[in-house]
Amino acid sequence: MLRPKTKADGVALHAQTGRNAVVPLDDYLNISNLPFKMTPELMINVAIWAQGQSSYQEAEDAIMRAHQLKINDDTVRQVTNYVGGVVFQEDCRQAELAYNKLNSGKLRFPSQKKRGILYIEADGATVNTRSKDEDGSSWRENKLGIVFSSDNIYTWTNHKGEKRRQLNKREYVSYLGSASEFKKHLFSCALKNGYGEYEKTILISDGATWIRNMREELFPDAQQILDYYHLCENVNTYAKHLFGTEPSQYSPWATEICTLLKESKWGDVLTDLERRKRPPNCQVDLYGYIKNNADNIDYADYIDNEYFIGSGAIESGNKSVLQQRLKQAGMRWNAQTAQYLLTLRAKYKSGLWINEVERPVLMLLQGNSKITPSYITS
């Protein structure tokens, strides 16, 4: 390390380079002006280890085993925040562009739609943060979306003659904040995956108001399907308050109701519910829930057309993107740190790490790299 000989030299060096000393090896490696004095490639490796392990400490241990480099867990966190911040900022830019294009009326879709279905699912799951809201709660809702098309669904029949389906490709989008901002990210993701190009779009959800409003604004042509299994959960909750919590008490009626709903006989169910008073202390207004979703529960028709009727893909995504990494025992998060990590998790689980993490981050960092000084190479 070369240090200025006098105070005046130090002032001059800092004014010219922003540094207080010169490390020739850092200049030779082109890392003098890079964050954390790491090569861009190493920063990418640190971030991929951090998003894939259960904690930053485990990431530190994994990096030591894989690369024989000692990088403490705090530095791992800072590097991951930096990389995640770059990617999240680009996502926000793309989301604003897509949303502004929609509002300006400049979106143009092909008149000849291609065969197939574009599926969109959305759901919310909480993460524990270090700040409390006005109600004193530190839990904040992360909104997760998933988009996939029928082109990427592999279908087969098992040895029991049962039809099975598997998603070979999907894209997640994660946003820790308001529905008004999340919807922009989901719309951008949907456009990228072919929204407006397929002959049919289906939005599957649990019937939450914010999702229904989002569909009406962004995907007015989409068929919304109320998640059948979420509906059955509400049926069972209602039945427990009506008949008792023992399975032998509530299960027969709940099973019958779910069967009728799956056969699209929701009118018979409403007639049954009209004759009953809503049980005390039951938060589920089953009659209103079914009536308000009458256009979204024609399950017999959906099954005939081989549509998905459950939100298993988004439920699995909540576990994979959020819970496995950010909801370990005792974890509490700075909201910004959680967002950056969730963004990286979503990219990795979507198979987009190379195109949407590595390439943009490397381009940014390499653009900031300093040319090797002449005194090193001479």
Side-chain angles (χ1 to χ4, degrees), residues 117 251 335 354 368:
I117 303 168
S251 185
I354 293 177
N368 287 339

Side-chain angles (χ1 to χ4, degrees), residues 104-273:
S104 67
K106 295 181 179 180
L107 278 179
R108 294 292 182 269
F109 297 123
S111 57
Q112 186 68 33
K113 306 286 187 179
K114 63 180 179 179
R115 294 184 62 184
I117 303 168
L118 186 73
Y119 286 95
I120 303 171
E121 298 184 20
D123 194 18
T126 57
V127 60
N128 200 6
T129 68
R130 296 184 182 278
S131 58
K132 294 183 179 180
D133 59 20
E134 57 275 12
D135 297 322
S137 174
S138 59
W139 291 89
R140 292 183 61 181
E141 184 176 62
N142 175 67
K143 294 173 175 61
L144 185 72
I146 182 174
V147 181
F148 59 93
S149 73
S150 54
D151 295 338
N152 295 301
I153 299 174
Y154 172 64
T155 305
W156 77 99
T157 303
N158 64 18
H159 67 281
K160 297 180 180 179
E162 300 167 329
K163 184 170 285 189
R164 290 289 182 263
R165 291 181 287 188
Q166 174 181 305
L167 297 185
N168 289 333
K169 182 183 177 183
R170 84 281 282 166
E171 182 170 348
Y172 295 109
V173 57
S174 184
Y175 189 81
L176 188 62
S178 68
S180 61
E181 290 301 316
F182 168 76
K183 68 183 182 184
K184 301 176 185 178
H185 289 260
L186 185 61
F187 184 66
S188 176
C189 180
L191 282 180
K192 186 167 60 171
N193 284 274
Y195 173 62
E197 299 174 12
Y198 287 90
E199 60 185 5
K200 193 165 191 64
T201 301
I202 292 177
L203 175 64
I204 305 176
S205 77
D206 61 5
T209 301
W210 67 270
I211 299 177
R212 185 168 61 251
N213 293 340
M214 183 176 63
R215 184 201 68 82
E216 292 174 356
E217 178 188 359
L218 303 180
F219 312 108
D221 59 325
Q223 168 64 60
Q224 184 169 349
I225 295 178
L226 180 65
D227 172 28
Y228 172 72
Y229 304 99
H230 187 84
L231 175 55
C232 288
E233 286 181 6
N234 283 329
V235 169
N236 278 271
T237 299
Y238 184 90
K240 289 176 183 178
H241 284 82
L242 195 62
F243 298 102
T245 57
E246 290 297 323
S248 60
Q249 296 174 316
Y250 74 84
S251 185
W253 183 84
T255 301
E256 179 185 0
I257 294 297
C258 289
T259 300
L260 289 171
L261 290 169
K262 198 168 188 178
E263 294 173 351
S264 295
K265 298 176 180 178
W266 51 268
D268 295 344
V269 175
L270 290 179
T271 300
D272 184 335
L273 292 173

Side-chain angles (χ1 to χ4, degrees), residues 303-317:
I303 293 171
D304 284 344
N305 285 284
E306 298 186 344
Y307 300 159
F308 284 99
I309 63 170
S311 58
I314 195 69
E315 296 292 342
S316 175

